[in-house]
Amino acid sequence: AQRVTQPEKLLSVFKGAPVELKCNYSYSGSPELFWYVQYSRQRLQLLLRHISRESIKGFTADLNKGETSFHLKKPFAQEEDSAMYYCALAGGTSYGKLTFGQGTILTVHP
Amino acid sequence: DAGVTQSPTHLIKTRGQQVTLRCSPKSGHDTVSWYQQALGQGPQFIFQYYEEEERQRGNFPDRFSGHQFPNYSSELNVNALLLGDSALYLCASSQTGGNTEAFFGQGTRLTVV
């Protein structure tokens, strides 16, 4: 069975502070991990995926298979980063079926 | 390209009724997935359609059914509505094959009273 856990429902930081949104997963095979973001009044959109290993809007995430984690990090948070963030997993043979975590609301204070 | 479009945006139905939600995928996409997002929860996979057939299904009862048309658009039908079916229903489209991104629509907010 696939499972994604985001332990923090809410996360508040001040502008310029580092931020880390935690994500742990459970999957027996080789998963594909994603971070999706939903800004206020906008649709869910892909932020980054582990296979591309790129940095988007200053965010990075490294897949740690030993700890089954895929934490999202940014060294200096900006007010425009305030949003709902979802970690999601797609199994190797799932044809893109996504299993989402419950989400973390990030608030960046000025 | 308008991206993924869903209709209607909001809907109010009475318990026991039936509802149909619609989704048009992003241009060039052939696969449509449906998700249910209850308040305060992450989206939950309902099912996925490819080549007009249900390819994969999540843990939802048979009251939830769907259809995909030759133009790749899709419908989600829910029969015998329950109060617990009140949620945001999201449609996502993608291109089968390769590591392609799933694009989401704005969703349909269904309220069952």
mmCIF file of all heavy atoms in Angstrom, chain A residues 36-80:
data_model
loop_
_atom_site.group_PDB
_atom_site.id
_atom_site.type_symbol
_atom_site.label_atom_id
_atom_site.label_comp_id
_atom_site.label_asym_id
_atom_site.label_seq_id
_atom_site.Cartn_x
_atom_site.Cartn_y
_atom_site.Cartn_z
ATOM 1 N N TYR A 36 3.412 19.307 -4.749
ATOM 2 C CA TYR A 36 2.436 20.166 -5.403
ATOM 3 C C TYR A 36 2.153 21.356 -4.488
ATOM 4 O O TYR A 36 2.208 21.250 -3.259
ATOM 5 C CB TYR A 36 1.128 19.415 -5.669
ATOM 6 C CG TYR A 36 1.158 18.560 -6.905
ATOM 7 C CD1 TYR A 36 1.720 17.287 -6.885
ATOM 8 C CD2 TYR A 36 0.628 19.027 -8.102
ATOM 9 C CE1 TYR A 36 1.752 16.506 -8.033
ATOM 10 C CE2 TYR A 36 0.663 18.248 -9.251
ATOM 11 C CZ TYR A 36 1.228 16.998 -9.202
ATOM 12 O OH TYR A 36 1.264 16.228 -10.338
ATOM 13 N N VAL A 37 1.816 22.489 -5.093
ATOM 14 C CA VAL A 37 1.523 23.689 -4.322
ATOM 15 C C VAL A 37 0.200 24.280 -4.793
ATOM 16 O O VAL A 37 -0.162 24.175 -5.977
ATOM 17 C CB VAL A 37 2.665 24.730 -4.453
ATOM 18 C CG1 VAL A 37 2.864 25.162 -5.892
ATOM 19 C CG2 VAL A 37 2.420 25.940 -3.558
ATOM 20 N N GLN A 38 -0.521 24.833 -3.845
ATOM 21 C CA GLN A 38 -1.777 25.512 -4.174
ATOM 22 C C GLN A 38 -1.762 26.884 -3.527
ATOM 23 O O GLN A 38 -1.889 27.005 -2.297
ATOM 24 C CB GLN A 38 -2.976 24.703 -3.703
ATOM 25 C CG GLN A 38 -4.300 25.262 -4.163
ATOM 26 C CD GLN A 38 -5.436 24.280 -3.959
ATOM 27 O OE1 GLN A 38 -5.412 23.458 -3.053
ATOM 28 N NE2 GLN A 38 -6.451 24.364 -4.800
ATOM 29 N N TYR A 39 -1.588 27.922 -4.347
ATOM 30 C CA TYR A 39 -1.660 29.291 -3.856
ATOM 31 C C TYR A 39 -3.124 29.685 -3.712
ATOM 32 O O TYR A 39 -4.011 29.053 -4.292
ATOM 33 C CB TYR A 39 -0.929 30.240 -4.803
ATOM 34 C CG TYR A 39 0.529 29.901 -4.980
ATOM 35 C CD1 TYR A 39 0.985 29.262 -6.133
ATOM 36 C CD2 TYR A 39 1.460 30.190 -3.980
ATOM 37 C CE1 TYR A 39 2.321 28.931 -6.290
ATOM 38 C CE2 TYR A 39 2.793 29.859 -4.139
ATOM 39 C CZ TYR A 39 3.209 29.231 -5.291
ATOM 40 O OH TYR A 39 4.536 28.896 -5.433
ATOM 41 N N SER A 40 -3.362 30.743 -2.940
ATOM 42 C CA SER A 40 -4.728 31.167 -2.661
ATOM 43 C C SER A 40 -5.516 31.386 -3.946
ATOM 44 O O SER A 40 -5.053 32.086 -4.849
ATOM 45 C CB SER A 40 -4.701 32.458 -1.839
ATOM 46 O OG SER A 40 -5.999 32.892 -1.562
ATOM 47 N N ARG A 41 -6.671 30.732 -4.040
ATOM 48 C CA ARG A 41 -7.597 30.888 -5.165
ATOM 49 C C ARG A 41 -7.020 30.391 -6.494
ATOM 50 O O ARG A 41 -7.488 30.782 -7.557
ATOM 51 C CB ARG A 41 -8.050 32.343 -5.321
ATOM 52 C CG ARG A 41 -8.742 32.882 -4.092
ATOM 53 C CD ARG A 41 -9.229 34.308 -4.335
ATOM 54 N NE ARG A 41 -9.710 34.923 -3.113
ATOM 55 C CZ ARG A 41 -10.900 34.714 -2.582
ATOM 56 N NH1 ARG A 41 -11.749 33.905 -3.169
ATOM 57 N NH2 ARG A 41 -11.269 35.318 -1.466
ATOM 58 N N GLN A 42 -6.011 29.548 -6.431
ATOM 59 C CA GLN A 42 -5.446 28.980 -7.658
ATOM 60 C C GLN A 42 -5.538 27.464 -7.619
ATOM 61 O O GLN A 42 -5.799 26.865 -6.589
ATOM 62 C CB GLN A 42 -3.996 29.420 -7.836
ATOM 63 C CG GLN A 42 -3.827 30.904 -8.077
ATOM 64 C CD GLN A 42 -2.393 31.264 -8.428
ATOM 65 O OE1 GLN A 42 -1.646 30.438 -8.970
ATOM 66 N NE2 GLN A 42 -2.015 32.489 -8.147
ATOM 67 N N ARG A 43 -5.355 26.866 -8.756
ATOM 68 C CA ARG A 43 -5.433 25.424 -8.839
ATOM 69 C C ARG A 43 -4.154 24.773 -8.356
ATOM 70 O O ARG A 43 -3.110 25.403 -8.272
ATOM 71 C CB ARG A 43 -5.746 24.989 -10.270
ATOM 72 C CG ARG A 43 -4.696 25.318 -11.294
ATOM 73 C CD ARG A 43 -5.186 24.986 -12.694
ATOM 74 N NE ARG A 43 -6.332 25.796 -13.066
ATOM 75 C CZ ARG A 43 -7.113 25.528 -14.110
ATOM 76 N NH1 ARG A 43 -6.864 24.471 -14.870
ATOM 77 N NH2 ARG A 43 -8.130 26.309 -14.407
ATOM 78 N N LEU A 44 -4.258 23.500 -8.051
ATOM 79 C CA LEU A 44 -3.106 22.710 -7.645
ATOM 80 C C LEU A 44 -2.109 22.637 -8.807
ATOM 81 O O LEU A 44 -2.489 22.373 -9.951
ATOM 82 C CB LEU A 44 -3.617 21.305 -7.302
ATOM 83 C CG LEU A 44 -2.792 20.389 -6.409
ATOM 84 C CD1 LEU A 44 -2.516 21.056 -5.069
ATOM 85 C CD2 LEU A 44 -3.545 19.091 -6.208
ATOM 86 N N GLN A 45 -0.852 22.871 -8.520
ATOM 87 C CA GLN A 45 0.160 22.827 -9.587
ATOM 88 C C GLN A 45 1.427 22.160 -9.074
ATOM 89 O O GLN A 45 1.754 22.230 -7.889
ATOM 90 C CB GLN A 45 0.462 24.230 -10.108
ATOM 91 C CG GLN A 45 0.943 25.212 -9.058
ATOM 92 C CD GLN A 45 1.089 26.621 -9.609
ATOM 93 O OE1 GLN A 45 2.038 26.913 -10.334
ATOM 94 N NE2 GLN A 45 0.149 27.477 -9.288
ATOM 95 N N LEU A 46 2.123 21.547 -10.012
ATOM 96 C CA LEU A 46 3.353 20.851 -9.668
ATOM 97 C C LEU A 46 4.445 21.855 -9.326
ATOM 98 O O LEU A 46 4.680 22.805 -10.075
ATOM 99 C CB LEU A 46 3.796 19.978 -10.842
ATOM 100 C CG LEU A 46 5.087 19.181 -10.645
ATOM 101 C CD1 LEU A 46 4.906 18.143 -9.541
ATOM 102 C CD2 LEU A 46 5.507 18.524 -11.953
ATOM 103 N N LEU A 47 5.118 21.651 -8.202
ATOM 104 C CA LEU A 47 6.247 22.494 -7.824
ATOM 105 C C LEU A 47 7.548 21.833 -8.280
ATOM 106 O O LEU A 47 8.338 22.447 -8.994
ATOM 107 C CB LEU A 47 6.253 22.717 -6.308
ATOM 108 C CG LEU A 47 7.400 23.580 -5.757
ATOM 109 C CD1 LEU A 47 7.333 24.983 -6.327
ATOM 110 C CD2 LEU A 47 7.362 23.614 -4.236
ATOM 111 N N LEU A 48 7.745 20.585 -7.862
ATOM 112 C CA LEU A 48 8.914 19.868 -8.344
ATOM 113 C C LEU A 48 8.725 18.356 -8.165
ATOM 114 O O LEU A 48 7.840 17.898 -7.451
ATOM 115 C CB LEU A 48 10.194 20.370 -7.677
ATOM 116 C CG LEU A 48 10.303 20.363 -6.151
ATOM 117 C CD1 LEU A 48 10.610 18.996 -5.588
ATOM 118 C CD2 LEU A 48 11.406 21.341 -5.699
ATOM 119 N N ARG A 49 9.574 17.606 -8.862
ATOM 120 C CA ARG A 49 9.532 16.147 -8.825
ATOM 121 C C ARG A 49 10.946 15.659 -8.632
ATOM 122 O O ARG A 49 11.891 16.278 -9.134
ATOM 123 C CB ARG A 49 8.924 15.589 -10.100
ATOM 124 C CG ARG A 49 9.660 15.968 -11.368
ATOM 125 C CD ARG A 49 8.775 15.854 -12.598
ATOM 126 N NE ARG A 49 8.197 14.547 -12.763
ATOM 127 C CZ ARG A 49 7.286 14.259 -13.697
ATOM 128 N NH1 ARG A 49 6.885 15.185 -14.526
ATOM 129 N NH2 ARG A 49 6.783 13.044 -13.797
ATOM 130 N N HIS A 50 11.105 14.567 -7.932
ATOM 131 C CA HIS A 50 12.453 14.164 -7.522
ATOM 132 C C HIS A 50 13.307 13.751 -8.707
ATOM 133 O O HIS A 50 14.521 13.927 -8.679
ATOM 134 C CB HIS A 50 12.400 13.045 -6.481
ATOM 135 C CG HIS A 50 12.344 11.655 -7.037
ATOM 136 N ND1 HIS A 50 11.153 11.029 -7.362
ATOM 137 C CD2 HIS A 50 13.326 10.787 -7.360
ATOM 138 C CE1 HIS A 50 11.412 9.835 -7.828
ATOM 139 N NE2 HIS A 50 12.714 9.647 -7.850
ATOM 140 N N ILE A 51 12.706 13.231 -9.773
ATOM 141 C CA ILE A 51 13.537 12.731 -10.872
ATOM 142 C C ILE A 51 14.199 13.862 -11.642
ATOM 143 O O ILE A 51 15.214 13.660 -12.296
ATOM 144 C CB ILE A 51 12.719 11.863 -11.843
ATOM 145 C CG1 ILE A 51 11.554 12.654 -12.432
ATOM 146 C CG2 ILE A 51 12.238 10.600 -11.151
ATOM 147 C CD1 ILE A 51 10.873 11.933 -13.565
ATOM 148 N N SER A 52 13.641 15.067 -11.563
ATOM 149 C CA SER A 52 14.218 16.168 -12.326
ATOM 150 C C SER A 52 15.366 16.830 -11.574
ATOM 151 O O SER A 52 16.178 17.529 -12.175
ATOM 152 C CB SER A 52 13.157 17.202 -12.690
ATOM 153 O OG SER A 52 12.549 17.700 -11.528
ATOM 154 N N ARG A 53 15.394 16.653 -10.252
ATOM 155 C CA ARG A 53 16.479 17.147 -9.408
ATOM 156 C C ARG A 53 16.772 18.628 -9.674
ATOM 157 O O ARG A 53 17.916 19.040 -9.762
ATOM 158 C CB ARG A 53 17.747 16.315 -9.621
ATOM 159 C CG ARG A 53 17.568 14.828 -9.331
ATOM 160 C CD ARG A 53 18.877 14.089 -9.488
ATOM 161 N NE ARG A 53 19.841 14.503 -8.485
ATOM 162 C CZ ARG A 53 19.891 14.043 -7.247
ATOM 163 N NH1 ARG A 53 18.999 13.166 -6.829
ATOM 164 N NH2 ARG A 53 20.816 14.458 -6.402
ATOM 165 N N GLU A 54 15.730 19.406 -9.858
ATOM 166 C CA GLU A 54 15.944 20.821 -10.103
ATOM 167 C C GLU A 54 15.396 21.650 -8.950
ATOM 168 O O GLU A 54 14.676 21.144 -8.097
ATOM 169 C CB GLU A 54 15.276 21.229 -11.411
ATOM 170 C CG GLU A 54 13.783 20.943 -11.452
ATOM 171 C CD GLU A 54 13.180 21.159 -12.832
ATOM 172 O OE1 GLU A 54 13.819 21.813 -13.679
ATOM 173 O OE2 GLU A 54 12.064 20.686 -13.057
ATOM 174 N N SER A 55 15.775 22.917 -8.957
ATOM 175 C CA SER A 55 15.296 23.843 -7.950
ATOM 176 C C SER A 55 14.256 24.746 -8.601
ATOM 177 O O SER A 55 14.512 25.343 -9.642
ATOM 178 C CB SER A 55 16.456 24.679 -7.409
ATOM 179 O OG SER A 55 15.968 25.706 -6.570
ATOM 180 N N ILE A 56 13.083 24.820 -7.999
ATOM 181 C CA ILE A 56 12.005 25.651 -8.509
ATOM 182 C C ILE A 56 11.665 26.694 -7.454
ATOM 183 O O ILE A 56 11.401 26.347 -6.295
ATOM 184 C CB ILE A 56 10.750 24.814 -8.828
ATOM 185 C CG1 ILE A 56 11.082 23.680 -9.789
ATOM 186 C CG2 ILE A 56 9.653 25.704 -9.383
ATOM 187 C CD1 ILE A 56 11.465 24.118 -11.170
ATOM 188 N N LYS A 57 11.693 27.961 -7.830
ATOM 189 C CA LYS A 57 11.383 29.065 -6.916
ATOM 190 C C LYS A 57 12.241 28.973 -5.648
ATOM 191 O O LYS A 57 11.811 29.349 -4.561
ATOM 192 C CB LYS A 57 9.899 29.070 -6.553
ATOM 193 C CG LYS A 57 8.993 29.274 -7.756
ATOM 194 C CD LYS A 57 7.545 29.384 -7.367
ATOM 195 C CE LYS A 57 6.676 29.609 -8.600
ATOM 196 N NZ LYS A 57 5.252 29.771 -8.262
ATOM 197 N N GLY A 58 13.445 28.453 -5.782
ATOM 198 C CA GLY A 58 14.350 28.354 -4.645
ATOM 199 C C GLY A 58 14.144 27.128 -3.785
ATOM 200 O O GLY A 58 14.888 26.907 -2.823
ATOM 201 N N PHE A 59 13.132 26.315 -4.092
ATOM 202 C CA PHE A 59 12.846 25.099 -3.332
ATOM 203 C C PHE A 59 13.615 23.913 -3.903
ATOM 204 O O PHE A 59 13.766 23.791 -5.116
ATOM 205 C CB PHE A 59 11.342 24.757 -3.384
ATOM 206 C CG PHE A 59 10.482 25.620 -2.513
ATOM 207 C CD1 PHE A 59 9.789 26.692 -3.050
ATOM 208 C CD2 PHE A 59 10.331 25.339 -1.165
ATOM 209 C CE1 PHE A 59 8.978 27.487 -2.252
ATOM 210 C CE2 PHE A 59 9.520 26.120 -0.356
ATOM 211 C CZ PHE A 59 8.844 27.196 -0.903
ATOM 212 N N THR A 60 14.081 23.050 -3.020
ATOM 213 C CA THR A 60 14.689 21.795 -3.404
ATOM 214 C C THR A 60 14.116 20.686 -2.530
ATOM 215 O O THR A 60 13.590 20.943 -1.439
ATOM 216 C CB THR A 60 16.217 21.821 -3.223
ATOM 217 O OG1 THR A 60 16.517 22.096 -1.856
ATOM 218 C CG2 THR A 60 16.868 22.857 -4.128
ATOM 219 N N ALA A 61 14.219 19.480 -3.031
ATOM 220 C CA ALA A 61 13.785 18.315 -2.248
ATOM 221 C C ALA A 61 14.621 17.128 -2.670
ATOM 222 O O ALA A 61 14.805 16.890 -3.865
ATOM 223 C CB ALA A 61 12.300 18.024 -2.472
ATOM 224 N N ASP A 62 15.141 16.414 -1.715
ATOM 225 C CA ASP A 62 15.963 15.244 -1.989
ATOM 226 C C ASP A 62 15.256 13.992 -1.498
ATOM 227 O O ASP A 62 14.771 13.949 -0.365
ATOM 228 C CB ASP A 62 17.328 15.368 -1.300
ATOM 229 C CG ASP A 62 18.190 16.434 -1.943
ATOM 230 O OD1 ASP A 62 18.196 16.499 -3.191
ATOM 231 O OD2 ASP A 62 18.830 17.207 -1.214
ATOM 232 N N LEU A 63 15.234 13.004 -2.352
ATOM 233 C CA LEU A 63 14.629 11.732 -1.983
ATOM 234 C C LEU A 63 15.632 10.934 -1.154
ATOM 235 O O LEU A 63 16.745 10.645 -1.618
ATOM 236 C CB LEU A 63 14.234 10.948 -3.238
ATOM 237 C CG LEU A 63 13.622 9.566 -3.013
ATOM 238 C CD1 LEU A 63 12.342 9.676 -2.205
ATOM 239 C CD2 LEU A 63 13.370 8.878 -4.345
ATOM 240 N N ASN A 64 15.262 10.593 0.057
ATOM 241 C CA ASN A 64 16.102 9.799 0.946
ATOM 242 C C ASN A 64 15.409 8.451 1.113
ATOM 243 O O ASN A 64 14.483 8.302 1.909
ATOM 244 C CB ASN A 64 16.258 10.502 2.302
ATOM 245 C CG ASN A 64 17.230 9.784 3.214
ATOM 246 O OD1 ASN A 64 17.289 8.554 3.225
ATOM 247 N ND2 ASN A 64 17.997 10.542 3.980
ATOM 248 N N LYS A 65 15.878 7.473 0.352
ATOM 249 C CA LYS A 65 15.216 6.166 0.376
ATOM 250 C C LYS A 65 15.424 5.450 1.703
ATOM 251 O O LYS A 65 14.582 4.670 2.144
ATOM 252 C CB LYS A 65 15.699 5.308 -0.791
ATOM 253 C CG LYS A 65 15.253 5.835 -2.144
ATOM 254 C CD LYS A 65 15.595 4.868 -3.268
ATOM 255 C CE LYS A 65 15.065 5.393 -4.599
ATOM 256 N NZ LYS A 65 15.376 4.478 -5.729
ATOM 257 N N GLY A 66 16.554 5.714 2.350
ATOM 258 C CA GLY A 66 16.818 5.072 3.635
ATOM 259 C C GLY A 66 15.839 5.516 4.703
ATOM 260 O O GLY A 66 15.335 4.701 5.491
ATOM 261 N N GLU A 67 15.546 6.811 4.713
ATOM 262 C CA GLU A 67 14.602 7.355 5.687
ATOM 263 C C GLU A 67 13.195 7.468 5.115
ATOM 264 O O GLU A 67 12.304 7.962 5.799
ATOM 265 C CB GLU A 67 15.081 8.739 6.155
ATOM 266 C CG GLU A 67 16.395 8.697 6.908
ATOM 267 C CD GLU A 67 16.827 10.062 7.419
ATOM 268 O OE1 GLU A 67 16.118 11.052 7.152
ATOM 269 O OE2 GLU A 67 17.874 10.140 8.083
ATOM 270 N N THR A 68 13.012 7.044 3.886
ATOM 271 C CA THR A 68 11.729 7.176 3.159
ATOM 272 C C THR A 68 11.152 8.570 3.346
ATOM 273 O O THR A 68 10.004 8.749 3.783
ATOM 274 C CB THR A 68 10.709 6.095 3.576
ATOM 275 O OG1 THR A 68 10.436 6.190 4.984
ATOM 276 C CG2 THR A 68 11.224 4.715 3.233
ATOM 277 N N SER A 69 11.968 9.559 3.019
ATOM 278 C CA SER A 69 11.539 10.946 3.176
ATOM 279 C C SER A 69 11.802 11.738 1.905
ATOM 280 O O SER A 69 12.637 11.364 1.067
ATOM 281 C CB SER A 69 12.266 11.605 4.350
ATOM 282 O OG SER A 69 13.639 11.751 4.057
ATOM 283 N N PHE A 70 11.067 12.826 1.781
ATOM 284 C CA PHE A 70 11.202 13.718 0.619
ATOM 285 C C PHE A 70 10.842 15.118 1.108
ATOM 286 O O PHE A 70 9.865 15.715 0.702
ATOM 287 C CB PHE A 70 10.279 13.256 -0.511
ATOM 288 C CG PHE A 70 10.465 13.988 -1.813
ATOM 289 C CD1 PHE A 70 11.698 14.010 -2.455
ATOM 290 C CD2 PHE A 70 9.398 14.622 -2.439
ATOM 291 C CE1 PHE A 70 11.865 14.665 -3.653
ATOM 292 C CE2 PHE A 70 9.552 15.280 -3.648
ATOM 293 C CZ PHE A 70 10.792 15.300 -4.246
ATOM 294 N N HIS A 71 11.686 15.646 1.991
ATOM 295 C CA HIS A 71 11.409 16.937 2.609
ATOM 296 C C HIS A 71 11.671 18.079 1.627
ATOM 297 O O HIS A 71 12.657 18.054 0.881
ATOM 298 C CB HIS A 71 12.258 17.126 3.869
ATOM 299 C CG HIS A 71 12.070 16.040 4.895
ATOM 300 N ND1 HIS A 71 10.873 15.393 5.081
ATOM 301 C CD2 HIS A 71 12.947 15.497 5.786
ATOM 302 C CE1 HIS A 71 10.995 14.490 6.044
ATOM 303 N NE2 HIS A 71 12.246 14.540 6.484
ATOM 304 N N LEU A 72 10.838 19.098 1.711
ATOM 305 C CA LEU A 72 10.956 20.276 0.848
ATOM 306 C C LEU A 72 11.663 21.380 1.630
ATOM 307 O O LEU A 72 11.254 21.686 2.751
ATOM 308 C CB LEU A 72 9.562 20.738 0.412
ATOM 309 C CG LEU A 72 9.491 21.912 -0.560
ATOM 310 C CD1 LEU A 72 10.055 21.519 -1.922
ATOM 311 C CD2 LEU A 72 8.056 22.397 -0.703
ATOM 312 N N LYS A 73 12.677 21.980 1.004
ATOM 313 C CA LYS A 73 13.465 22.969 1.727
ATOM 314 C C LYS A 73 13.655 24.233 0.897
ATOM 315 O O LYS A 73 13.697 24.185 -0.335
ATOM 316 C CB LYS A 73 14.848 22.406 2.074
ATOM 317 C CG LYS A 73 14.821 21.165 2.923
ATOM 318 C CD LYS A 73 16.221 20.612 3.135
ATOM 319 C CE LYS A 73 16.181 19.314 3.924
ATOM 320 N NZ LYS A 73 17.533 18.738 4.123
ATOM 321 N N LYS A 74 13.771 25.347 1.626
ATOM 322 C CA LYS A 74 14.124 26.612 0.995
ATOM 323 C C LYS A 74 14.941 27.399 2.012
ATOM 324 O O LYS A 74 14.535 27.545 3.160
ATOM 325 C CB LYS A 74 12.884 27.392 0.573
ATOM 326 C CG LYS A 74 13.210 28.669 -0.200
ATOM 327 C CD LYS A 74 11.975 29.295 -0.821
ATOM 328 C CE LYS A 74 12.355 30.516 -1.648
ATOM 329 N NZ LYS A 74 11.188 31.118 -2.337
ATOM 330 N N PRO A 75 16.095 27.903 1.616
ATOM 331 C CA PRO A 75 16.963 28.565 2.603
ATOM 332 C C PRO A 75 16.434 29.901 3.102
ATOM 333 O O PRO A 75 16.659 30.262 4.264
ATOM 334 C CB PRO A 75 18.288 28.735 1.846
ATOM 335 C CG PRO A 75 17.938 28.633 0.405
ATOM 336 C CD PRO A 75 16.738 27.769 0.307
ATOM 337 N N PHE A 76 15.731 30.629 2.249
ATOM 338 C CA PHE A 76 15.246 31.958 2.638
ATOM 339 C C PHE A 76 13.798 32.115 2.172
ATOM 340 O O PHE A 76 13.536 32.362 0.994
ATOM 341 C CB PHE A 76 16.115 33.062 2.030
ATOM 342 C CG PHE A 76 17.580 32.900 2.298
ATOM 343 C CD1 PHE A 76 18.439 32.437 1.318
ATOM 344 C CD2 PHE A 76 18.107 33.199 3.551
ATOM 345 C CE1 PHE A 76 19.782 32.273 1.561
ATOM 346 C CE2 PHE A 76 19.459 33.038 3.810
ATOM 347 C CZ PHE A 76 20.302 32.574 2.817
ATOM 348 N N ALA A 77 12.856 31.964 3.079
ATOM 349 C CA ALA A 77 11.440 32.013 2.706
ATOM 350 C C ALA A 77 11.010 33.428 2.322
ATOM 351 O O ALA A 77 11.507 34.420 2.870
ATOM 352 C CB ALA A 77 10.583 31.515 3.865
ATOM 353 N N GLN A 78 10.092 33.506 1.380
ATOM 354 C CA GLN A 78 9.507 34.771 0.931
ATOM 355 C C GLN A 78 8.005 34.769 1.232
ATOM 356 O O GLN A 78 7.382 33.702 1.300
ATOM 357 C CB GLN A 78 9.742 34.952 -0.567
ATOM 358 C CG GLN A 78 11.197 34.918 -0.988
ATOM 359 C CD GLN A 78 12.012 36.018 -0.326
ATOM 360 O OE1 GLN A 78 11.590 37.172 -0.273
ATOM 361 N NE2 GLN A 78 13.175 35.665 0.208
ATOM 362 N N GLU A 79 7.433 35.970 1.362
ATOM 363 C CA GLU A 79 6.000 36.058 1.665
ATOM 364 C C GLU A 79 5.160 35.360 0.602
ATOM 365 O O GLU A 79 4.136 34.753 0.910
ATOM 366 C CB GLU A 79 5.581 37.520 1.798
ATOM 367 C CG GLU A 79 6.117 38.208 3.030
ATOM 368 C CD GLU A 79 5.698 39.651 3.112
ATOM 369 O OE1 GLU A 79 4.495 39.906 3.310
ATOM 370 O OE2 GLU A 79 6.569 40.530 2.981
ATOM 371 N N GLU A 80 5.617 35.424 -0.658
ATOM 372 C CA GLU A 80 4.835 34.801 -1.742
ATOM 373 C C GLU A 80 4.888 33.277 -1.710
ATOM 374 O O GLU A 80 4.200 32.619 -2.491
ATOM 375 C CB GLU A 80 5.319 35.317 -3.105
ATOM 376 C CG GLU A 80 6.796 35.150 -3.370
ATOM 377 C CD GLU A 80 7.607 36.390 -3.012
ATOM 378 O OE1 GLU A 80 7.187 37.128 -2.079
ATOM 379 O OE2 GLU A 80 8.638 36.610 -3.663
#
